[in-house]
Amino acid sequence: MHVCLILFPGFPMLTFVLAREVLHLANHCAGQQLFTFQTRTVAGAPVAAADGTTMHGDQPDWHGAQGFDLVLLCAGKDPLTSLPMGLRAFLNRADATGATLGGLDGGALILAKLGFLSGRTAVLDQAALADLVPDCDDIAITEGTFSCDRQRLTTAGGIATGDAVLAWIARAHSPSLAARVAESLAHGRIGQAGAQQRLVQAIDPLLDRMQAIMAAHIENPLPVERVAAELELSPKQLRLRCRKGLSQTPAQIYTGLRLDRAAQLISTTELSVQEVARAAGFASPSAFTRSYRARFGAPPRSQRRARRAG
């Protein structure tokens, strides 16, 4: 899989290094080069990071957008001062061929300005967004450290960059590989986009890995058989481990994680119930509402009204 990281003047060096090193570490953990990494600069010329370090790009122009699986825009303060003519077209071509578009730190504001976050959940500086990008009411701003919503990845920058790239690896390639990289980074497990979502603590380390796999596939849930295969267990063996370690079935644990994600979206975004249901992996709003009421004691609309009233 191919990743392109576009650097803007004043980009945060920590953000750039974390994105690059997570991909390098993923290749190391896999024992082969699963991910290639190309750096471009927004103007084709060398750019200086916020700490003064000068970086050169591997490619001087905007050709080759169709070859990427992930395109990341890395920018710092004042990100909208350097938007060249070819950037929007490059991102449109990458998007049309299925690439995930990501905004790291100030890069998320660039995606918002160019219209690529319309109808999506995103992590954005709300004050900066209001000043720099008028008419952005259709973007659902979340308070999480990163968001991965329908081929869009946005982060608050800094350490969250590593968790965001890990989440993309889990979705695009392999949850088990992402879990191994997370362990190598001493995270213990993949960080969650929603600050309110928490994995149930288990004595059995394998169940921690299981929940990390499930948490990386909330919007498009995996069959329990696939989760078991990722853990090198049969479905029956996984059920027995879950019953013993967490007193629930794998399906119940998975549903709980998805509903926790839905509750976070209900609390921190203005997405419709139908959009929240889809983001939490439910086939229909009615099935979602029934499950939500059973877990939290009230339907999602009631909880949202109570939040607004509060």
Side-chain angles (χ1 to χ4, degrees):
M1 305 189 77
H2 306 294
V3 180
C4 177
L5 201 148
I6 303 173
L7 303 178
F8 289 73
F11 69 92
M13 181 57 75
L14 175 62
T15 298
F16 168 71
V17 169
L18 274 171
R20 181 186 62 188
E21 293 307 311
V22 167
L23 293 166
H24 285 170
L25 189 54
N27 288 335
H28 176 75
C29 290
Q32 57 181 308
Q33 190 173 17
L34 296 176
F35 304 98
T36 65
F37 186 92
Q38 182 185 96
T39 301
R40 300 191 184 201
T41 64
V42 71
V47 298
D51 66 359
T53 303
T54 299
M55 295 293 299
H56 297 259
D58 301 316
Q59 178 88 8
D61 53 40
W62 296 111
H63 293 301
Q66 293 85 348
F68 292 110
D69 299 283
L70 175 65
V71 177
L72 296 172
L73 279 59
C74 183
K77 296 180 180 179
D78 302 320
L80 304 184
T81 58
S82 302
L83 298 182
M85 293 284 291
L87 177 62
R88 187 195 297 268
F90 178 87
L91 296 175
N92 275 325
R93 292 195 299 272
D95 184 38
T97 53
T100 293
L101 304 183
L104 308 180
D105 208 303
L109 284 171
I110 297 171
L111 290 179
K113 176 68 174 179
L114 297 180
F116 288 104
L117 297 182
S118 178
R120 303 301 211 283
T121 300
V123 176
L124 289 160
D125 182 331
Q126 195 158 8
L129 184 67
D131 291 339
L132 301 176
V133 188
D135 305 322
C136 57
D137 294 339
D138 58 347
I139 301 174
I141 299 176
T142 177
E143 296 178 359
T145 57
F146 73 89
S147 172
C148 191
D149 182 12
R150 289 168 291 159
Q151 306 300 105
R152 297 294 183 268
L153 184 69
T154 52
T155 82
I159 299 299
T161 301
D163 287 331
V165 177
L166 282 171
W168 176 78
I169 291 173
R171 291 188 177 201
H173 189 272
S174 165
S176 60
L177 175 61
R180 294 202 303 274
V181 176
E183 290 171 3
S184 298
L185 288 169
H187 284 191
R189 60 174 59 89
I190 300 171
Q192 300 305 307
Q196 295 180 356
Q197 185 175 359
R198 294 291 183 268
L199 305 186
V200 180
Q201 295 299 305
I203 296 175
D204 188 342
L206 181 138
L207 297 183
D208 282 344
R209 286 181 55 206
M210 177 198 73
Q211 291 180 91
I213 291 170
M214 291 175 171
H217 292 79
I218 295 294
E219 187 173 349
N220 297 296
L222 299 175
V224 171
E225 293 77 10
R226 169 76 182 280
V227 176
E230 290 283 348
L231 298 169
E232 300 181 351
L233 297 175
S234 70
K236 182 178 180 179
Q237 289 173 320
L238 182 60
R239 284 195 296 274
L240 291 173
R241 298 280 283 264
C242 288
R243 285 290 191 188
K244 182 178 179 180
L246 297 172
S247 301
Q248 298 181 70
T249 66
Q252 288 170 333
I253 296 166
Y254 209 163
T255 299
L257 290 172
R258 291 160 54 205
L259 288 169
D260 286 345
R261 170 62 172 154
Q264 186 262 331
L265 291 174
I266 290 292
S267 297
T268 62
T269 77
E270 296 301 325
L271 292 174
S272 68
V273 170
Q274 183 174 359
E275 289 170 326
V276 171
R278 185 167 59 247
F282 286 86
S284 70
S286 58
F288 164 63
T289 298
R290 286 195 300 271
S291 297
Y292 195 98
R293 185 198 296 269
R295 181 173 178 85
F296 298 111
R301 285 192 175 88
S302 295
Q303 291 208 341
R304 177 165 283 170
R305 285 195 296 268
R307 173 176 65 86
R308 287 171 175 168

